[in-house]
Amino acid sequence: MRFAPFVLLACVACRGGGSPEDRELGEFRGAYPETEQPTGVVRSFEIVAAPTSLPLVDGKQLEVWAYNGQVPGPTLRIKLGETLRVRFTNKLPQETTIHWHGVRLPNAMDGVPYITQKPVQPDETFVYEFTPKDAGTFWFHPHVRASEQVERGLYGVLVVEDASPPPYSRELVWVVDDWLLKDGAIYPAFNTRHDLAMDGRWGNAITINGRTDTVVKVQPGERLRLRMLNSSNGRVYAPDFGDLDAKLIAVDGLYLREPIAARGFELAPGNRIDVDVTFDKSTTAPFEVVDRFFARRPNTLARFEVEGPLVATPQFASPARGTVPRWSGALSAPIAHTFRLDVQSGGPFGISWTIDGMAFMDHQHAMPPAATLTRGRFVRLRFTNASPRIHPIHIHGMFFRLLARNGQPVDEPFFRDTVLIHAREEVDVGLVPTDAGTWMLHCHILEHAEAGMMTTIDVVEPVP
Ligand code: C2O
Ligand code: CU
């Protein structure tokens, strides 16, 4: 397993040229700022990871691991163009790192042990510093023993605001997590055979910002921006906003081409959505946001209660007007690499989750990349899920678009950094890497990742 033959790694680079497809693919160039425009402003934060005890879930004290003594950790807020500087200190009983999920940043700041940095040992400090290239909702979490460290409470949101943010009445940040609790404590066995054989660790309490009893009081007329993150190890949510006027404006940070109804989006571990919600002036009913991933077992996530005097609804065009290419020629591009997702027995946990027949373990930092891509070149990749379980696949440091599911073309009006791949499904994505380096590609069911379902892709500079 460790010494997989190199033939698996063949990569067909997509050729340049002047065909209509190439011009179409070149549309990508307008999708993001080509280079961030640094304002020179540096925003400094101090983050300490440490064990603590907090009133969480139903309000009883729970032993957790936390960033700055809170779960979720602090919401870091900067503006596009500003530089984020985080002085991070590890006060945990084990090594860790911080990964900035979804952020296009220099590879050295990506927080992946042995690939981009050495793990941060207990009592050590590491400084992360970068200027995000995109505005949007991002998050941060450990990339060491993540199935344990994230489950214990280590995660936080990074909001990169637009240079001039749309004038919503209010903004809410909701971190959705689930907890596996037993006798008032976090169930202490991680990576159990059950979790590994199934879709990871699914908890018995679902929380918004750490609490099961979230009620938000709003005034009629208010227009909210709701930033939602799924930080769960394995659980997927399909938030249903009922009769509310709720539109999806951003996915995984970036604005959509145009707003679409929010209902039905599969919010897999790692995914974020930004929702534009207006409370109709004539209504007073309480509204529930309900997870309907399993239609027959809905979960109430939170409640809105409408009260107080009517306020004027801010009138402005939806910010969802991002440049999102259609890439209609992309399905005729060659497949540069097919990632085969599968499972086998054996390995340190008894079950191994594999990509191209190999299980990646933290210590196997010498494993060769699954594919080599060229910076600035469009590439089509395929994921073939040979297993009967689901896999939310996440790629670090770049955004991709869904091209097809099981051969059926898909035109989602947005980019992603994480996509849920269903059992036995075949998914094609297209992307143009913008930053050189060694980037992780893995399942965001943290138990699957821990048991091997991770690999790397190299992005190299084009040969002039
Ligand atoms: Cu959110 Cu490599 O992870
Ligand atoms: Cu998986």
Side-chain angles (χ1 to χ4, degrees):
M1 215 159 61
R2 207 164 291 191
F3 304 104
F6 233 85
V7 288
L8 286 174
L9 312 171
C11 165
V12 185
C14 196
R15 275 153 282 272
S19 70
E21 283 83 3
D22 286 328
R23 281 198 297 280
E24 167 86 2
L25 303 178
E27 264 186 67
F28 179 87
R29 287 177 201 292
Y32 311 121
E34 276 298 290
T35 52
E36 67 272 34
Q37 279 159 2
T39 57
V41 177
V42 179
R43 298 273 171 220
S44 297
F45 298 88
E46 197 71 52
I47 294 186
V48 179
T52 185
S53 156
L54 290 168
L56 288 171
V57 188
D58 53 3
K60 289 199 207 71
Q61 289 295 123
L62 186 65
E63 303 287 329
V64 292
W65 291 356
Y67 289 133
N68 293 1
Q70 44 184 115
V71 176
T75 295
L76 309 181
R77 212 173 256 279
I78 63 169
K79 267 198 185 329
L80 184 63
E82 292 179 344
T83 297
L84 180 73
R85 181 184 292 156
V86 171
R87 213 183 107 85
F88 170 61
T89 302
N90 179 12
K91 292 285 177 193
L92 301 171
Q94 55 184 240
E95 59 186 31
T96 189
T97 58
I98 297 184
H99 165 58
W100 306 90
H101 181 125
V103 181
R104 293 194 299 147
L105 42 55
N107 194 243
M109 293 291 114
D110 202 39
V112 181
Y114 304 113
I115 304 237
T116 68
Q117 68 170 100
K118 289 215 231 70
V120 185
Q121 298 301 323
D123 289 324
E124 273 184 7
T125 286
F126 186 91
V127 178
Y128 293 95
E129 182 168 335
F130 52 88
T131 309
K133 290 186 176 184
D134 307 288
T137 308
F138 303 100
W139 67 300
F140 54 99
H141 62 77
H143 225 281
V144 174
R145 298 171 68 152
S147 59
E148 173 177 359
Q149 295 190 4
V150 174
E151 178 69 6
R152 288 192 186 276
L154 292 170
Y155 46 77
V157 172
L158 166 64
V159 173
V160 182
E161 286 181 342
D162 298 310
S164 31
Y168 284 96
S169 317
R170 223 173 348 142
E171 186 179 303
L172 300 175
V173 176
W174 280 5
V175 180
V176 193
D177 192 8
D178 71 338
W179 305 77
L180 186 59
L181 302 174
K182 191 162 185 263
D183 306 327
I186 294 175
Y187 187 65
F190 295 94
N191 308 311
T192 63
R193 246 195 121 79
H194 169 273
D195 296 349
L196 282 169
M198 313 293 276
D199 301 316
R201 175 166 166 136
W202 288 48
N204 47 19
I206 297 174
T207 57
I208 299 278
N209 299 340
R211 299 295 297 244
T212 49
D213 51 0
T214 300
V215 176
V216 180
K217 298 209 187 303
V218 293
Q219 283 176 261
E222 276 198 281
R223 182 172 177 186
L224 307 185
R225 178 182 194 143
L226 172 58
R227 300 179 188 261
M228 240 173 140
L229 153 71
N230 180 359
S231 70
S232 308
N233 283 29
R235 186 185 288 269
V236 183
Y237 307 87
D240 180 354
F241 296 82
D243 292 334
L244 283 177
D245 174 12
K247 296 270 184 338
L248 209 57
I249 54 166
V251 169
D252 291 347
L254 302 183
Y255 285 124
L256 276 67
R257 188 191 293 143
E258 73 253 336
I260 60 173
R263 161 175 304 168
F265 187 87
E266 290 174 332
L267 192 71
N271 277 135
R272 287 88 63 216
I273 51 175
D274 288 34
V275 188
D276 182 334
V277 190
T278 299
F279 290 86
D280 193 274
K281 57 175 176 292
S282 61
T283 182
T284 50
F287 291 95
E288 286 194 341
V289 182
V290 179
D291 158 41
R292 296 193 192 280
F293 185 68
F294 292 115
R296 272 188 272 166
R297 273 191 286 129
N299 302 298
T300 297
L301 300 177
R303 261 166 88 84
F304 286 111
E305 277 170 12
V306 188
E307 57 175 46
L310 178 69
V311 295
T313 302
Q315 301 295 331
F316 56 89
S318 172
R321 45 175 186 275
T323 309
V324 180
R326 287 178 199 275
W327 286 342
S328 43
L331 281 173
S332 56
I335 296 166
H337 188 82
T338 297
F339 297 88
R340 193 184 153 83
L341 315 176
D342 211 350
V343 63
Q344 48 184 248
S345 52
F349 303 105
I351 294 173
S352 296
W353 286 96
T354 59
I355 298 180
D356 298 345
M358 288 179 281
F360 184 103
M361 300 293 160
D362 266 358
H363 60 275
Q364 281 184 326
H365 43 276
M367 199 161 105
T372 300
L373 314 180
T374 305
R375 189 175 64 77
R377 285 274 171 78
F378 175 85
V379 78
R380 174 184 171 200
L381 302 172
R382 172 167 288 177
F383 298 96
T384 298
N385 183 2
S387 80
R389 309 309 316 181
I390 55 173
H391 304 292
I393 293 293
H394 170 49
I395 310 181
H396 285 206
M398 60 196 87
F399 295 99
F400 54 83
R401 287 199 59 233
L402 212 56
L403 301 175
R405 284 193 189 264
N406 289 327
Q408 292 304 308
V410 174
D411 178 27
E412 293 183 332
F414 49 86
F415 284 97
R416 299 169 161 275
D417 61 41
T418 304
V419 62
L420 185 66
I421 300 180
H422 292 267
R424 312 268 179 215
E425 196 178 32
E426 182 174 272
V427 166
D428 287 18
V429 305
L431 62 88
V432 180
T434 54
D435 295 273
T438 299
W439 300 102
M440 298 301 292
L441 181 156
H442 64 88
C443 180
H444 222 289
I445 289 180
L446 299 174
E447 290 73 22
H448 290 182
E450 206 63 21
M453 194 170 263
M454 296 200 273
T455 189
T456 57
I457 51 181
D458 274 4
V459 175
V460 298
E461 293 295 339
V463 202

